[in-house]
Amino acid sequence: MNSMKIKILSVIILFLLIGFGCKGQQTTKDVVSTISPDQIKDMQATLERPLFFDSKKGGFIGVIEAKGYLKVEEKDCSALGLKECANNKYAYFKETNTDNIEVLNLIFSNKDKFYFGPYAIGLGCWEKERIYAKNFADDKNSESIIQGDQFQALQSSNKERLITIKMIVPVNTSKNEPQDLCYSRVRSVEVK
């Protein structure tokens, strides 16, 4: 009789746990930040670490340092469902070598998104003499421009002439998909 009560009690507890764990979360179309200044400081400190998957925040975060070269592709913005597309050229950093396996995990987990490619991380819209990007994340939304010597170094890279770049992946818990071709999941790109 006791074993029967234990089984029934176990089933009830299991159903309660499943019920509480399955509550849906409300989604919004706008990126809203309700982060305290202390949380922002913690994020900034985390952003200085090599890229890793943070299970508490639910995403990749940190610094990527990798060797590779620039690859520019033409995109069909209407086929991608994008509302904003100033020009249709998108710049990728084709990664050929990194010490961090999480870089590959980040790329493979985003393989269906236009701002990633096979072994490639999207940098933003390629324009004459610059790469322009928008990034949204939990700590802030930002815009960045790669130009001057940094742009020239990227542009002169190829399969035979690899360069090393450093870039930051901020945590982004928003499930909103970007509507602009210039979106990049990384920011603060620097040619080393």
Side-chain angles (χ1 to χ4, degrees), residues 83-152:
K83 295 178 182 174
E84 297 179 43
C85 189
N87 94 34
N88 64 344
K89 292 185 179 177
Y90 194 79
Y92 292 95
F93 185 73
K94 187 89 167 170
E95 186 267 323
T96 60
N97 190 0
T98 181
D99 292 337
N100 188 342
I101 190 68
E102 292 297 348
V103 175
L104 294 178
N105 291 334
L106 171 69
I107 292 169
F108 292 141
S109 67
N110 288 282
K111 66 181 178 187
D112 297 328
K113 301 186 183 333
F114 76 86
Y115 43 95
F116 283 93
Y119 299 98
I121 298 170
L123 300 177
C125 290
W126 185 89
E127 301 171 353
K128 186 177 181 185
E129 303 300 319
R130 73 179 197 158
I131 297 170
Y132 170 75
K134 294 179 181 181
N135 171 267
F136 52 82
D138 290 2
D139 62 339
K140 67 180 179 180
N141 296 343
S142 66
E143 295 181 353
S144 63
I145 297 173
I146 302 169
Q147 58 189 359
D149 293 342
Q150 297 279 303
F151 178 81
Q152 294 303 325

Side-chain angles (χ1 to χ4, degrees), residues 4 21 26 35 42 50 55 58-59 61 65 67 69 74 79 85 99 102 104 116 132 135 149 167 169 187:
M4 182 61 111
Q26 187 176 3
I35 298 173
D42 289 341
S55 57
I61 184 170
E65 199 162 316
K67 277 190 174 181
Y69 59 94
E74 289 195 21
C85 189
D99 292 337
E102 292 297 348
L104 294 178
F116 283 93
Y132 170 75
N135 171 267
D149 293 342
M167 50 196 146
V169 178
R187 64 181 179 211

Side-chain angles (χ1 to χ4, degrees), residues 17-191:
L17 289 173
I18 290 172
F20 286 118
C22 293
K23 289 185 179 178
Q25 293 201 357
Q26 187 176 3
T27 57
T28 61
K29 293 193 177 202
D30 296 326
V31 177
V32 178
S33 180
T34 56
I35 298 173
S36 72
D38 289 336
Q39 288 173 312
I40 289 174
K41 285 180 187 174
D42 289 341
M43 269 191 219
Q44 289 169 341
T46 304
L47 286 174
E48 295 172 7
R49 292 182 52 187
L51 185 73
F52 69 102
F53 185 82
D54 188 330
S55 57
K56 290 181 184 174
K57 293 183 173 69
F60 289 94
I61 184 170
V63 175
I64 293 174
E65 199 162 316
K67 277 190 174 181
Y69 59 94
L70 180 70
K71 179 181 179 188
V72 178
E73 288 184 3
E74 289 195 21
K75 297 289 184 182
D76 181 347
C77 293
S78 60
L80 292 172
L82 299 174
K83 295 178 182 174
E84 297 179 43
C85 189
N87 94 34
N88 64 344
K89 292 185 179 177
Y90 194 79
Y92 292 95
F93 185 73
K94 187 89 167 170
E95 186 267 323
T96 60
N97 190 0
T98 181
D99 292 337
N100 188 342
I101 190 68
E102 292 297 348
V103 175
L104 294 178
N105 291 334
L106 171 69
I107 292 169
F108 292 141
S109 67
N110 288 282
K111 66 181 178 187
D112 297 328
K113 301 186 183 333
F114 76 86
Y115 43 95
F116 283 93
Y119 299 98
I121 298 170
L123 300 177
C125 290
W126 185 89
E127 301 171 353
K128 186 177 181 185
E129 303 300 319
R130 73 179 197 158
I131 297 170
Y132 170 75
K134 294 179 181 181
N135 171 267
F136 52 82
D138 290 2
D139 62 339
K140 67 180 179 180
N141 296 343
S142 66
E143 295 181 353
S144 63
I145 297 173
I146 302 169
Q147 58 189 359
D149 293 342
Q150 297 279 303
F151 178 81
Q152 294 303 325
L154 267 168
Q155 186 157 336
S156 65
S157 66
N158 57 45
K159 290 180 183 179
E160 290 76 38
R161 187 183 301 149
L162 302 176
I163 58 170
T164 301
I165 67 169
K166 179 180 174 183
M167 50 196 146
I168 293 175
V169 178
V171 70
N172 181 5
T173 56
S174 167
K175 299 300 179 199
N176 298 326
E177 286 299 317
Q179 297 297 309
D180 188 333
L181 182 67
C182 294
Y183 179 77
S184 174
R185 186 65 184 85
V186 299
R187 64 181 179 211
S188 302
V189 176
E190 175 189 352
V191 178

